[in-house]
Amino acid sequence: MSTKNLLLELFVEELPPKALKKIGEAFAQTLQASLQAQGLLSADSVLTAFASPRRLGVHLSKVLEQADDKTVMQKLMPAAVGIGADGKATPALLKKLAALGADESAVAGLKRESDGKAEVLFFNSVVTGVMLSDGLQKALEETLGKLPIPKVMAYQLADGWETVNFVRPAHGLVALYGADVLNISVLGLRAGNTTHGHRFEAGIDPVYIRDADSYATQIAAEGAVIASFAERRAEIVRQLATAAAEAGSNLTPIEDEALLDEVTGLVERPNVLIGQFEEAFLEVPQECLILTMKANQKYFPLLDSTGGLSNKFLIVSNIRPADASTVIGGNERVVRPRLADAKFFFDQDRKKTLTSRVAGLDKVVYHNKLGTQGERIARVRAIAQAIAGKLGVDAQQADTAAQLAKADLLTDMVGEFPELQGIMGRYYALHDGLPTAVADAIEDHYKPRFAGDELPRNPVGMVVALADKLETLVGLFSIGQVPTGDKDPFALRRHALGIIRMLIEGKLDIGINDLIAAAEKPFNGLSAEHRSALLNFIFDRLANALREQGYSAQEIDAVLALQPQRLADVAERLAAVRAFAALPEAASLAAANKRVGNILKKVEGTVAAQVDTALLKEPAEIALNQTLTTVKPQAEAAFARGDYTASLQALAALRNPVDAFFDGVMVNAEDVALRNNRQGLLATLHQAMNQVADISKLAS
């Protein structure tokens, strides 16, 4: 069957720029999937998506005018119900066939097949392939219903009576199959072949689209619009690089993918211009200036080769006047008051010390069950001092940083730009004459804020960051505010991962139980249930992180089953497990360890890991004990010096004695003394085999 190319465009009022990329991709992909499911696309059909501030579009190659007919097998009813004792169709079967457009003549052609329970009647019918206009109508309606729209608008159609809902009012619909207009409608619009170009710079209005393949070329040449989101974004990147080089040989635009996507969603014909502001504003911390330019004006600040902010910035304009000076001047006038506000906030904030602001935190509610920010800071200070003592970090500096960590929340700058919390605290701490380590810790106690973010830059910052995250975790777990499903309003998963990263990447010599003990003390302790839940939560996050790093489930289970206290050792333990698993003795020892564990679980009470050699009777138990006497000290010595690979590999010598023991010794002997002694031997073996990891987890 012959094919043609298809073009669909929905012309709308300005779409939300931050959501445009996602909406455009969903529009194209959902429409394609629906047409594919209806059999209207060739196997090698190619999708091209269009998304600009005022249009959503799709171009699909090799689209069928009508889908192929297909045979459908429909299950009717059990044969015993459909065919009577006389071998003729029952009224129930005839009624079912009539509903499918068939009559009694179809009975002879019915198939009988078993469904596993009984013989069932099946009816084969040929379904006529859907026509493109009908299929596209269905696909478009499905697509509009599935778009990831942040907020739907309700608006009236031109008749003044009917109300429809969409992300923005729609004003035009183009549907071309080759050069032919398809008869479809949506949102009160009937498809045609005309659209509109750039709001101000289109050469022709309206633009008559000749055929599906001429759309992109025509809308660019006649409508002054780059319809493809990807092409428009690439053009902006190209122009940014060119303009930056023109502004200064050592200048580069700030890298910000989210800003780039948003600006691509704001313009249809990008034109990058260079603006500048007074150098006096550079006295303000560059983070403040960068944020106000990016967030409020959508400008791209220019940085020098050292990463320092210059007084020049790039504007992505949507118009291309012959003389751009008016556009540039207008943008410079607009940004100047923003920068002046930032300078005013900075100057005003420095008139008060951070220390003087701390008392104000007593009036800021943190959580209705956990008190104010002031109460929270008191807990963080206590936790920080405890951790500092265990890690040998300056406790006074850690206490000062913890006390002042949230003080910048009460500054004008952070009130205007919450994203600057911590960053401004560092600047104000330095202005107050506090040590650099303390100032850095105030900024860094929020780190790591996301996957791949850097860790605090000094030990004081590490301590305060741990204390802050632990206080959040312990506090919220203590009141039952734990993540459920994909809901995690307090970002507890992120806090747990931050703690894990600091312990592992910072190689901190402190146990996870010690950290939790320090963190729960200001809360007057956690219940056993909450403590266990928190510990499991942290190890679950660690397991997820390790899986993403490529470790197998068996390796992770073996190491984390012991809940090792020093997380900095986890990588070495995993490497040791991987090396041990490659040994020829590994499978046998893993199975034996699993068997030993099961035996000991069935014993009432705790089995002491001790052996009375005088009670060893069988040659196999004597041999096992002798080997253990040699191997156990070797494994323990290697474990003590952190050589986990050697510790596990020392166990290889146990394979034959262990196998012989289980072949020739009855553990549960009738003689109580013998039974207890053999259980003690197994407990000793279990202890020796499970220092680095629970190797029973390696058993298949």
Side-chain angles (χ1 to χ4, degrees), residues 239-240 243-244 246-247 270-276 299-300 302 312-332:
Q239 289 191 35
L240 287 172
E246 182 183 334
N271 180 31
V272 175
L273 306 170
I274 304 169
Q276 65 180 21
Y299 298 152
F300 286 83
L302 287 171
K312 295 181 179 179
F313 58 92
L314 301 181
I315 307 151
V316 182
S317 174
N318 193 35
I319 56 176
R320 298 184 181 183
D323 180 6
S325 60
T326 302
V327 176
I328 294 171
N331 279 278
E332 290 176 342

Side-chain angles (χ1 to χ4, degrees), residues 5-10 23-33 35 41 45-51 55-61 63 136 139-140 143 147 173-177 211-213 215-216 227-228:
N5 296 343
L6 172 70
L7 182 281
L8 182 78
E9 185 210 62
L10 184 64
I23 292 174
E25 290 171 349
F27 183 84
Q29 292 167 7
T30 307
L31 192 82
Q32 178 193 35
L35 293 175
L41 298 185
S45 175
V46 176
L47 168 70
T48 303
F50 302 106
R55 71 202 72 240
L56 296 171
V58 177
H59 180 278
L60 283 161
S61 67
V63 179
L136 183 59
L140 184 54
T143 297
L147 289 181
L173 179 64
V174 175
L176 291 175
Y177 184 57
D211 56 53
D213 293 343
Y215 172 75
S228 165

